[in-house]
Amino acid sequence: MSDPALKVESLSVCASENRKRHHSDDYDNPALIVRRGQDFKIKLRLNRPLRKSDPLGVQIAVGAQPLQSKETLVLIPLQQTQLSGAWTATLGAPQGLEYEVLIKSPANAAVGKYTLMVTDKGSYTYVPPDKDFYLLFNPWCKEDTVYLEEEDKRQEYVLSDTGYLYLGSFNRIDGIPWNFGQFEEGVLDCCFYLLDKIGMKQTTRKDAAKIARAMSAAVNIQDDGGVLIGNWSGEYSDGTPPSYWTGSSAILQKYYKTKRPVRYGQCWVFSGVLTTVMRCLGVPARSITNFDSAHDTEDNLTIDVFFNRAGEMLNDISTDSIWNFHVWNDVWMKRPDLPEGYNGWQAIDATPQELSEGSYQCGPAPLKAIKNGDVHLVYDTKFVLSEVNADRIFWRVDNPNSPQQNMVKLRVDTMAVGKRISTKAVGKNLREDITSQYKHPEGSPEERRSLENALKMCLKPVEEVYSMVRPPMKVDFESKEVHLGSPVTLNITFSNNTTSVKTVTFSASYQLQTYDGNTMESIGSMSSEITVQAESSAAVPVEIPADSYFKFLSKYNDELQVQVNVLGETKEGKEPLADYVVVHFTYPAIKVEMPDSVRVGEKFTCTFIFKNDTGVPMENTKLHVEGLGLFKLETFDEGNIKAGGIFASRVVCTASKLGERKIIAKITSDQISGITVERSITIT
């Protein structure tokens, strides 16, 4: 009697065991999720013992229609191990009719959603109920291009689902908590949906650099109907203002559910989402903030700033700008496509600013190339170099918008751009300054040579690098943070660097601006004259009443700052001087009452208490709260809060995941957009 036809009675992908070994057990997805270059186990139960002559094998396929995509099919015979560099299947000793099979992908396999089947390559195919599995990049595998040696960095840059984004200005940095949420429900599927939507071929999904570049495009709406619509207008009535978001997962979940772009984002939101996407796929990623960040639209490695004689900044003459801060991303990988020496951190940016190869994408640009001025290397190294090290040129425009318009070059500032470049420290809730990874010390010979090198490669005259002359007079500012609702007070300080008495005539203007340098309103000005003794300083006090700025805050649903511009010259030699300072507001605090620890399955209450001590009413006030592993983003309408008014809101949560969990709360109103607090709770 001959043997019956060989059949598979059951197949287990051992999801729980494999996911733990592959550092993928946190994904809120029941499927098998593994990383490339590392073996995973399946168990087969057959209807009879396996014979050497049996042609049974494991079939692996990838793509939206795997069985119709012949080039993506891999058949791994169970009776032999494939050659190095390909998928392998190693058959273990049988336990009765149960066989254990170790399957391993090559370390350069395409990441994606795969289908696993068993077939005799003839008339018989067994498709298990849990046939689909996910293959990710593997920072734990030395042969993978994204390999990261230090375990604490892998924990931070791949597995950490919370962190901080840094906003504000170089002299007042705010770390706002952010839920990256790369393991939340639907996020992994959304990431692979994005790769499909932008038409990325399976053969190119092996390459971490190409995926990083593609995702920098896919996170914004331009070109491909991506995740987020950028909006810097101050008007967000048909969507969610950028300042309302507390994390990335709610954005990606909404996009994946509706298949429509989400309204709205600005640079830190784009960066937070891109960090989530890259970590979700297994690429080490971090959000980066560059303070006094240049946006060089004219591609000349300089930023032109124009003022009229009254000291008002003119935004309509040049599209160049210096943002108080700009947030982008670094991803860690080898760069086999570049000459040796450019592995490591690479800058990418999802905020749509300038076209790159016809699309709104940016990077990956090696940090070493940015630091040394190697702007000939792909991708977008020159643009990122400008962001961190362009020179700023001040111009006075006489008779603007007339045939008699005349521009006077006032001075060149070689040390204004790229300050206190920041990211979250590894394993700590602290800021790490990584400026030295992007640029040589400001003003050093190495820093000047880097820019000279860049100019030479761009075929531009290098003498512009050295055009800064120490001015006889210098203007500076002594300012403090201002509690919202209080007057803005500061001193304008004039320093005389000569051995002669100098008389300075100057104008100062006060403008409300957004973080990206756009002037929204003019709120005051002054003109004066001051005598400054030789080799001495003198100060002029400024006070801007609260009423002059507060009446405009409800007009723009953004966090605004006051910029004070000063433009002047000496009577004696007509030596020009110009500079500006940004003054930030501080806000009332949110008090959070909740336990420090609870047990899994236990309910607990979070109470959020807020007092409006600004001295003026807050209209249309909302409380936004989110806790990964506890509850999704929720918004509570608190109405109008009068001056001195208090509200308390309570959220009842159930602890569902072990470990430390963070709850983020944010308050917004027509007048205020940036009040944020976080609290941690340990679930045992």
Side-chain angles (χ1 to χ4, degrees):
M1 183 176 180
S2 61
D3 287 339
L6 184 63
K7 295 184 181 299
V8 179
E9 293 187 342
S10 65
L11 186 153
S12 171
V13 296
C14 307
S16 179
E17 180 182 347
N18 285 319
R19 285 167 57 127
K20 189 171 184 179
R21 291 179 54 242
H22 284 251
H23 309 279
S24 61
D25 46 337
D26 281 337
Y27 286 90
D28 190 357
N29 185 317
L32 174 64
I33 302 171
V34 294
R35 299 183 186 274
R36 66 186 192 176
Q38 180 179 346
D39 61 58
F40 62 93
K41 178 174 66 177
I42 65 171
K43 289 183 178 179
L44 296 171
R45 175 171 287 276
L46 305 178
N47 66 328
R48 64 164 174 80
L50 185 67
R51 313 296 184 199
K52 285 188 177 182
S53 59
D54 289 324
L56 204 65
V58 177
Q59 184 168 274
I60 305 290
V62 66
Q65 296 178 309
L67 297 181
Q68 298 177 25
S69 185
K70 298 297 183 184
E71 73 275 12
T72 65
L73 292 178
V74 178
L75 182 66
I76 314 170
L78 292 179
Q79 301 289 17
Q80 66 182 67
T81 298
Q82 295 289 87
L83 297 175
S84 175
W87 287 80
T88 65
T90 305
L91 188 66
Q95 300 291 323
L97 294 177
E98 187 171 274
Y99 293 80
E100 186 176 284
V101 184
L102 287 181
I103 300 173
K104 184 177 180 181
S105 68
N108 66 344
V111 299
K113 189 174 182 180
Y114 282 75
T115 299
L116 183 150
M117 296 162 282
V118 180
T119 180
D120 62 3
K121 208 175 181 181
S123 60
Y124 176 71
T125 298
Y126 175 80
V127 182
D130 46 1
K131 61 182 175 63
D132 294 327
F133 72 96
Y134 299 82
L135 187 69
L136 309 179
F137 289 103
N138 193 353
W140 286 265
C141 175
K142 290 184 178 180
E143 291 74 32
D144 197 315
T145 53
V146 304
Y147 173 67
L148 185 56
E149 185 174 5
E150 302 92 336
E151 178 60 25
D152 58 343
K153 291 183 179 179
R154 293 191 291 244
Q155 292 291 325
E156 181 68 49
Y157 299 133
V158 182
L159 299 183
S160 180
D161 60 356
T162 63
Y164 296 90
L165 305 177
Y166 294 95
L167 281 60
S169 64
F170 81 94
N171 55 5
R172 197 212 72 176
I173 296 175
D174 295 327
I176 65 164
W178 191 263
N179 285 329
F180 294 113
Q182 66 266 34
F183 305 121
E184 296 301 290
E185 181 182 5
V187 172
L188 180 59
D189 283 314
C190 183
C191 292
F192 287 124
Y193 169 77
L194 285 172
L195 291 177
D196 290 338
K197 182 174 177 57
I198 63 178
M200 193 169 196
K201 296 179 179 179
Q202 298 295 334
T203 52
T204 62
R205 299 189 192 191
K206 302 177 179 182
D207 190 326
K210 290 181 179 178
I211 282 189
R213 184 162 174 79
M215 285 307 198
S216 78
V219 167
N220 63 64
I221 185 181
Q222 277 78 1
D223 315 312
D224 46 36
V227 177
L228 267 171
I229 300 175
N231 187 343
W232 286 262
S233 70
E235 167 54 46
Y236 313 108
S237 59
D238 59 343
T240 300
S243 59
Y244 285 24
W245 299 112
T246 58
S248 310
S249 55
I251 296 169
L252 290 164
Q253 288 165 338
K254 184 176 182 179
Y255 174 76
Y256 187 55
K257 180 180 179 180
T258 64
K259 305 298 190 294
R260 300 180 64 183
V262 177
R263 305 168 184 263
Y264 288 106
Q266 291 178 3
C267 73
W268 70 92
V269 187
F270 284 108
S271 173
V273 172
L274 190 53
T275 294
T276 299
V277 168
M278 299 313 296
R279 288 184 183 180
C280 184
L281 294 175
V283 179
R286 61 188 188 182
S287 286
I288 301 297
T289 303
N290 179 40
F291 292 96
D292 284 352
S293 184
H295 181 184
D296 177 17
T297 62
E298 296 168 350
D299 197 32
N300 59 4
L301 296 174
T302 62
I303 303 299
D304 298 298
V305 183
F306 297 92
F307 298 90
N308 61 21
R309 281 191 171 270
E312 294 175 323
M313 187 175 287
L314 304 174
N315 293 117
D316 57 347
I317 292 182
S318 172
T319 52
D320 281 356
S321 59
I322 296 180
W323 298 20
N324 292 344
F325 64 89
H326 180 44
V327 192
W328 62 74
N329 299 79
D330 286 344
V331 285
W332 179 272
M333 63 186 66
K334 295 176 183 176
R335 291 297 301 273
D337 58 317
L338 297 179
E340 187 176 352
Y342 295 100
N343 296 334
W345 288 116
Q346 319 281 322
I348 59 175
D349 193 346
T351 301
Q353 296 183 91
E354 300 296 324
L355 288 169
S356 174
E357 295 182 333
S359 298
Y360 282 97
Q361 56 191 348
C362 183
L367 265 59
K368 183 177 179 181
I370 297 165
K371 185 172 182 176
N372 293 333
D374 298 332
V375 296
H376 62 292
L377 295 175
V378 294
Y379 297 96
D380 308 303
T381 303
K382 179 180 169 186
F383 182 78
V384 183
L385 171 63
S386 291
E387 291 181 300
V388 301
N389 210 23
D391 289 343
R392 177 176 63 177
I393 303 177
F394 287 89
W395 300 83
R396 188 187 73 228
V397 183
D398 299 331
N399 306 310
N401 303 317
S402 75
Q404 291 76 39
Q405 177 175 299
N406 180 53
M407 294 187 182
V408 179
K409 187 176 182 178
L410 302 179
R411 70 184 182 93
V412 177
D413 190 344
T414 64
M415 304 176 70
V417 167
K419 297 176 182 174
R420 303 182 75 178
I421 304 175
S422 301
T423 192
K424 180 186 176 297
V426 174
K428 301 175 183 177
N429 293 330
L430 299 172
R431 183 185 67 89
E432 180 184 1
D433 191 305
I434 60 167
T435 307
S436 62
Q437 296 181 31
Y438 270 88
K439 59 196 292 190
H440 296 284
E442 197 68 76
S444 67
E446 294 84 0
E447 182 262 342
R448 289 290 89 189
R449 279 198 295 270
S450 170
L451 199 56
E452 177 182 337
N453 185 39
L455 287 169
K456 284 181 177 178
M457 291 184 181
C458 299
L459 303 178
K460 295 181 183 297
V462 299
E463 57 267 25
E464 291 183 12
V465 178
Y466 303 102
S467 60
M468 179 183 176
V469 178
R470 186 170 185 250
M473 295 292 301
K474 182 182 178 183
V475 60
D476 209 342
F477 304 89
E478 298 174 7
S479 62
K480 298 179 180 179
E481 296 175 346
V482 177
H483 194 71
L484 193 72
S486 301
V488 178
T489 59
L490 71 153
N491 289 328
I492 304 173
T493 303
F494 298 92
S495 299
N496 183 354
N497 300 317
T498 73
T499 57
S500 304
V501 176
K502 295 287 185 179
T503 302
V504 178
T505 58
F506 70 94
S507 296
S509 68
Y510 324 133
Q511 297 175 309
L512 278 179
Q513 291 203 333
T514 54
Y515 81 95
D516 59 344
N518 279 326
T519 299
M520 310 308 285
E521 301 285 348
S522 292
I523 59 174
S525 63
M526 67 172 291
S527 296
S528 188
E529 181 176 294
I530 188 171
T531 300
V532 188
Q533 299 300 315
E535 299 179 336
S536 184
S537 298
V540 177
V542 172
E543 180 170 310
I544 306 170
D547 287 348
S548 66
Y549 68 80
F550 208 93
K551 62 185 178 182
F552 292 114
L553 296 186
S554 60
K555 187 176 177 181
Y556 306 100
N557 214 326
D558 280 315
E559 187 175 350
L560 301 179
Q561 302 92 33
V562 175
Q563 180 166 304
V564 177
N565 310 307
V566 173
L567 198 70
E569 63 182 15
T570 61
K571 276 190 172 181
E572 292 77 11
K574 301 297 182 183
E575 298 106 340
L577 67 161
D579 212 337
Y580 60 82
V581 68
V582 175
V583 180
H584 294 269
F585 297 111
T586 61
Y587 304 108
I590 307 171
K591 182 180 179 181
V592 184
E593 295 179 351
M594 56 184 279
D596 294 326
S597 64
V598 295
R599 294 184 181 278
V600 172
E602 183 179 345
K603 289 188 176 182
F604 64 97
T605 300
C606 304
T607 303
F608 305 93
I609 303 168
F610 177 78
K611 180 179 180 180
N612 176 15
D613 65 1
T614 64
V616 291
M618 291 171 53
E619 300 169 323
N620 193 28
T621 305
K622 291 181 172 59
L623 172 69
H624 315 269
V625 292
E626 183 181 30
L628 297 184
L630 298 169
F631 54 85
K632 296 184 183 297
L633 178 63
E634 296 185 46
T635 298
F636 302 91
D637 192 346
E638 303 294 345
N640 298 332
I641 311 299
K642 65 182 181 180
I646 300 175
F647 75 76
S649 287
R650 294 173 178 83
V651 178
V652 179
C653 316
T654 300
S656 58
K657 289 186 177 181
L658 290 171
E660 183 184 80
R661 300 292 159 187
K662 289 184 178 180
I663 291 176
I664 296 177
K666 176 173 284 192
I667 289 176
T668 60
S669 71
D670 289 347
Q671 290 76 22
I672 302 176
S673 298
I675 308 174
T676 308
V677 70
E678 71 169 351
R679 277 288 304 274
S680 296
I681 186 169
T682 302
I683 302 173
T684 59

